[in-house]
Amino acid sequence: MADTFKISELAKEFGVTTRSIRFYEDVGLLQPERDGTIRVYQRRDKTRLKLILRGKRLGFSLAEIRELFDLYDTNQSDSQLQQMIKIIDDKQAKLQRQLDDIEVMMQELNTAKARCQQALDDKSTNRKRRKNNHSQSKYEG
């Protein structure tokens, strides 16, 4: 029984609500066994939940996640494997574009931050000079 989990245990471990887990069950992504009215999740369900949540973070739709699960779960013909490779290639290309965009944005933010810091440093230096000049002119007069 060590490889089974209650819905509350999975919810806590993955930081999601039990309602979310039941939703994934309703749409067919998870298939827990039942012990009366209690859902009993197997290690396979836990792994699938982990993959669902990771896929969602990476921008996969639930339909895409289901398609990947379906392709993986079936007896894989050459055409199914080719379809899975195509789906993965498309997603990798999309993620690479996002990663490239993130890298450009990070560079632009770093440049903007450096300019702001330089402006603050320049203002601080100018204030110190004015203060020193003002102090010197008091003593000269």
Side-chain angles (χ1 to χ4, degrees):
M1 196 83 175
D3 281 352
T4 62
F5 310 91
K6 295 179 186 174
I7 192 170
S8 59
E9 293 171 328
L10 292 178
K12 183 177 180 182
E13 181 174 341
F14 290 104
V16 297
T17 64
T18 56
R19 184 177 182 169
S20 294
I21 295 172
R22 285 191 299 271
F23 174 75
Y24 298 138
E25 180 184 345
D26 290 343
V27 298
L29 294 173
L30 298 174
Q31 291 114 14
E33 295 176 7
R34 299 278 183 164
D35 184 8
T37 59
I38 299 172
R39 290 170 171 86
V40 179
Y41 293 88
Q42 304 296 322
R43 182 164 299 285
R44 177 180 189 266
D45 297 304
K46 182 178 177 179
T47 300
R48 286 173 76 105
L49 179 58
K50 183 178 184 178
L51 292 171
I52 291 165
L53 298 173
R54 182 176 295 146
K56 285 179 53 70
R57 276 195 315 274
L58 295 174
F60 282 78
S61 70
L62 291 181
E64 289 172 318
I65 292 168
R66 179 185 297 106
E67 187 175 4
L68 288 171
F69 283 170
D70 290 347
L71 288 171
Y72 185 78
D73 288 342
T74 60
N75 247 345
Q76 298 152 338
S77 67
D78 288 354
S79 63
Q80 285 174 311
L81 292 170
Q82 289 169 346
Q83 178 63 21
M84 192 167 191
I85 289 170
K86 182 187 179 322
I87 291 169
I88 292 169
D89 284 345
D90 291 347
K91 188 53 73 173
Q92 284 179 317
K94 181 179 178 183
L95 289 171
Q96 187 61 55
R97 285 190 303 273
Q98 289 175 332
L99 184 58
D100 293 345
D101 289 344
I102 288 169
E103 288 174 356
V104 168
M105 183 60 75
M106 290 296 286
Q107 290 172 352
E108 290 173 0
L109 289 171
N110 286 334
T111 299
K113 183 179 179 181
R115 286 181 182 156
C116 290
Q117 188 61 56
Q118 185 62 50
L120 284 173
D121 293 347
D122 291 348
K123 285 184 177 194
S124 176
T125 301
N126 288 338
R127 278 193 291 268
K128 287 177 186 174
R129 281 190 198 138
R130 283 195 302 269
K131 186 177 178 183
N132 287 339
N133 288 343
H134 182 66
S135 295
Q136 285 178 353
S137 61
K138 279 185 5 188
Y139 293 116
E140 291 174 359

